[in-house]
PDB file of all heavy atoms in Angstrom:
ATOM      1  N   VAL I   6       3.487  13.695  -3.792  1.00 57.00           N
ATOM      2  CA  VAL I   6       3.554  14.932  -4.547  1.00 57.00           C
ATOM      3  C   VAL I   6       4.937  15.525  -4.349  1.00 57.00           C
ATOM      4  O   VAL I   6       5.320  15.838  -3.222  1.00 57.00           O
ATOM      5  CB  VAL I   6       2.481  15.947  -4.077  1.00 57.00           C
ATOM      6  CG1 VAL I   6       2.577  17.230  -4.881  1.00 57.00           C
ATOM      7  CG2 VAL I   6       1.096  15.335  -4.192  1.00 57.00           C
ATOM      8  N   ARG I  12      14.201  18.581  -6.485  1.00 38.00           N
ATOM      9  CA  ARG I  12      14.626  17.764  -7.607  1.00 38.00           C
ATOM     10  C   ARG I  12      15.919  17.016  -7.299  1.00 38.00           C
ATOM     11  O   ARG I  12      16.450  16.326  -8.140  1.00 38.00           O
ATOM     12  CB  ARG I  12      14.857  18.623  -8.854  1.00 38.00           C
ATOM     13  CG  ARG I  12      13.812  19.684  -9.089  1.00 38.00           C
ATOM     14  CD  ARG I  12      12.409  19.164  -9.085  1.00 38.00           C
ATOM     15  NE  ARG I  12      12.177  18.180 -10.105  1.00 38.00           N
ATOM     16  CZ  ARG I  12      11.031  17.555 -10.274  1.00 38.00           C
ATOM     17  NH1 ARG I  12      10.010  17.807  -9.471  1.00 38.00           N
ATOM     18  NH2 ARG I  12      10.878  16.656 -11.224  1.00 38.00           N
ATOM     19  N   GLY I  16      18.119  13.326 -11.050  1.00 35.00           N
ATOM     20  CA  GLY I  16      18.744  13.403 -12.357  1.00 35.00           C
ATOM     21  C   GLY I  16      19.809  14.458 -12.459  1.00 35.00           C
ATOM     22  O   GLY I  16      19.527  15.599 -12.793  1.00 35.00           O
ATOM     23  N   VAL I  64       4.828  16.929   4.289  1.00 94.00           N
ATOM     24  CA  VAL I  64       3.519  16.995   4.931  1.00 94.00           C
ATOM     25  C   VAL I  64       2.797  15.674   4.678  1.00 94.00           C
ATOM     26  O   VAL I  64       2.657  15.244   3.529  1.00 94.00           O
ATOM     27  CB  VAL I  64       2.675  18.175   4.394  1.00 94.00           C
ATOM     28  CG1 VAL I  64       1.315  18.206   5.079  1.00 94.00           C
ATOM     29  CG2 VAL I  64       3.413  19.492   4.610  1.00 94.00           C
ATOM     30  N   GLU I  68      -6.527   9.959   5.885  1.00 96.00           N
ATOM     31  CA  GLU I  68      -7.992   9.935   6.065  1.00 96.00           C
ATOM     32  C   GLU I  68      -8.327   9.111   7.300  1.00 96.00           C
ATOM     33  O   GLU I  68      -7.919   7.944   7.416  1.00 96.00           O
ATOM     34  CB  GLU I  68      -8.649   9.328   4.828  1.00 96.00           C
ATOM     35  CG  GLU I  68     -10.153   9.293   4.881  1.00 96.00           C
ATOM     36  CD  GLU I  68     -10.791  10.620   4.523  1.00 96.00           C
ATOM     37  OE1 GLU I  68     -10.159  11.409   3.789  1.00 96.00           O
ATOM     38  OE2 GLU I  68     -11.926  10.860   4.993  1.00 96.00           O
ATOM     39  N   ARG I  82     -22.267  17.725  12.163  1.00 89.00           N
ATOM     40  CA  ARG I  82     -21.319  16.813  11.515  1.00 89.00           C
ATOM     41  C   ARG I  82     -19.924  17.427  11.460  1.00 89.00           C
ATOM     42  O   ARG I  82     -18.936  16.774  11.765  1.00 89.00           O
ATOM     43  CB  ARG I  82     -21.800  16.484  10.101  1.00 89.00           C
ATOM     44  CG  ARG I  82     -20.855  15.570   9.334  1.00 89.00           C
ATOM     45  CD  ARG I  82     -21.259  15.441   7.871  1.00 89.00           C
ATOM     46  NE  ARG I  82     -21.421  16.732   7.228  1.00 89.00           N
ATOM     47  CZ  ARG I  82     -20.409  17.497   6.846  1.00 89.00           C
ATOM     48  NH1 ARG I  82     -19.159  17.126   7.058  1.00 89.00           N
ATOM     49  NH2 ARG I  82     -20.641  18.661   6.249  1.00 89.00           N
ATOM     50  N   ARG I  89     -13.103  14.642  16.248  1.00 95.00           N
ATOM     51  CA  ARG I  89     -12.391  13.382  16.005  1.00 95.00           C
ATOM     52  C   ARG I  89     -10.943  13.654  15.576  1.00 95.00           C
ATOM     53  O   ARG I  89     -10.023  12.957  16.001  1.00 95.00           O
ATOM     54  CB  ARG I  89     -13.121  12.576  14.942  1.00 95.00           C
ATOM     55  CG  ARG I  89     -12.409  11.294  14.508  1.00 95.00           C
ATOM     56  CD  ARG I  89     -12.320  10.260  15.630  1.00 95.00           C
ATOM     57  NE  ARG I  89     -13.615   9.838  16.075  1.00 95.00           N
ATOM     58  CZ  ARG I  89     -14.339   8.885  15.482  1.00 95.00           C
ATOM     59  NH1 ARG I  89     -13.863   8.267  14.414  1.00 95.00           N
ATOM     60  NH2 ARG I  89     -15.510   8.541  15.960  1.00 95.00           N
ATOM     61  N   GLU I  95      -4.199  14.428  19.566  1.00 96.00           N
ATOM     62  CA  GLU I  95      -3.720  14.257  20.941  1.00 96.00           C
ATOM     63  C   GLU I  95      -3.240  12.833  21.204  1.00 96.00           C
ATOM     64  O   GLU I  95      -2.190  12.614  21.805  1.00 96.00           O
ATOM     65  CB  GLU I  95      -4.824  14.637  21.929  1.00 96.00           C
ATOM     66  CG  GLU I  95      -5.142  16.113  21.962  1.00 96.00           C
ATOM     67  CD  GLU I  95      -3.939  16.953  22.366  1.00 96.00           C
ATOM     68  OE1 GLU I  95      -3.180  16.540  23.250  1.00 96.00           O
ATOM     69  OE2 GLU I  95      -3.752  18.033  21.760  1.00 96.00           O
ATOM     70  N   ALA I 105       8.385  11.428  13.052  1.00 96.00           N
ATOM     71  CA  ALA I 105       8.912  12.630  12.402  1.00 96.00           C
ATOM     72  C   ALA I 105      10.412  12.750  12.618  1.00 96.00           C
ATOM     73  O   ALA I 105      11.156  13.124  11.696  1.00 96.00           O
ATOM     74  CB  ALA I 105       8.198  13.873  12.939  1.00 96.00           C
ATOM     75  N   THR I 125     -13.837  17.783   6.395  1.00 92.00           N
ATOM     76  CA  THR I 125     -12.970  18.541   7.299  1.00 92.00           C
ATOM     77  C   THR I 125     -11.522  18.057   7.168  1.00 92.00           C
ATOM     78  O   THR I 125     -11.261  16.857   7.212  1.00 92.00           O
ATOM     79  CB  THR I 125     -13.425  18.373   8.757  1.00 92.00           C
ATOM     80  OG1 THR I 125     -14.801  18.752   8.866  1.00 92.00           O
ATOM     81  CG2 THR I 125     -12.593  19.226   9.693  1.00 92.00           C
ATOM     82  N   VAL I 147      -1.044  45.132  -7.971  1.00 91.00           N
ATOM     83  CA  VAL I 147      -2.012  44.062  -7.703  1.00 91.00           C
ATOM     84  C   VAL I 147      -2.061  43.769  -6.208  1.00 91.00           C
ATOM     85  O   VAL I 147      -3.139  43.680  -5.598  1.00 91.00           O
ATOM     86  CB  VAL I 147      -1.651  42.787  -8.492  1.00 91.00           C
ATOM     87  CG1 VAL I 147      -2.521  41.620  -8.040  1.00 91.00           C
ATOM     88  CG2 VAL I 147      -1.813  43.020  -9.991  1.00 91.00           C
ATOM     89  N   ALA I 154      -8.233  46.820  -0.491  1.00 91.00           N
ATOM     90  CA  ALA I 154      -9.604  46.300  -0.474  1.00 91.00           C
ATOM     91  C   ALA I 154      -9.907  45.490   0.780  1.00 91.00           C
ATOM     92  O   ALA I 154     -11.042  45.043   0.973  1.00 91.00           O
ATOM     93  CB  ALA I 154      -9.843  45.446  -1.712  1.00 91.00           C
TER      94      ALA I 154
END
Side-chain angles (χ1 to χ4, degrees):
V6 180
R12 318 308 300 178
V64 180
E68 182 81 26
R82 178 189 53 76
R89 175 66 62 84
E95 291 300 321
T125 305
V147 171

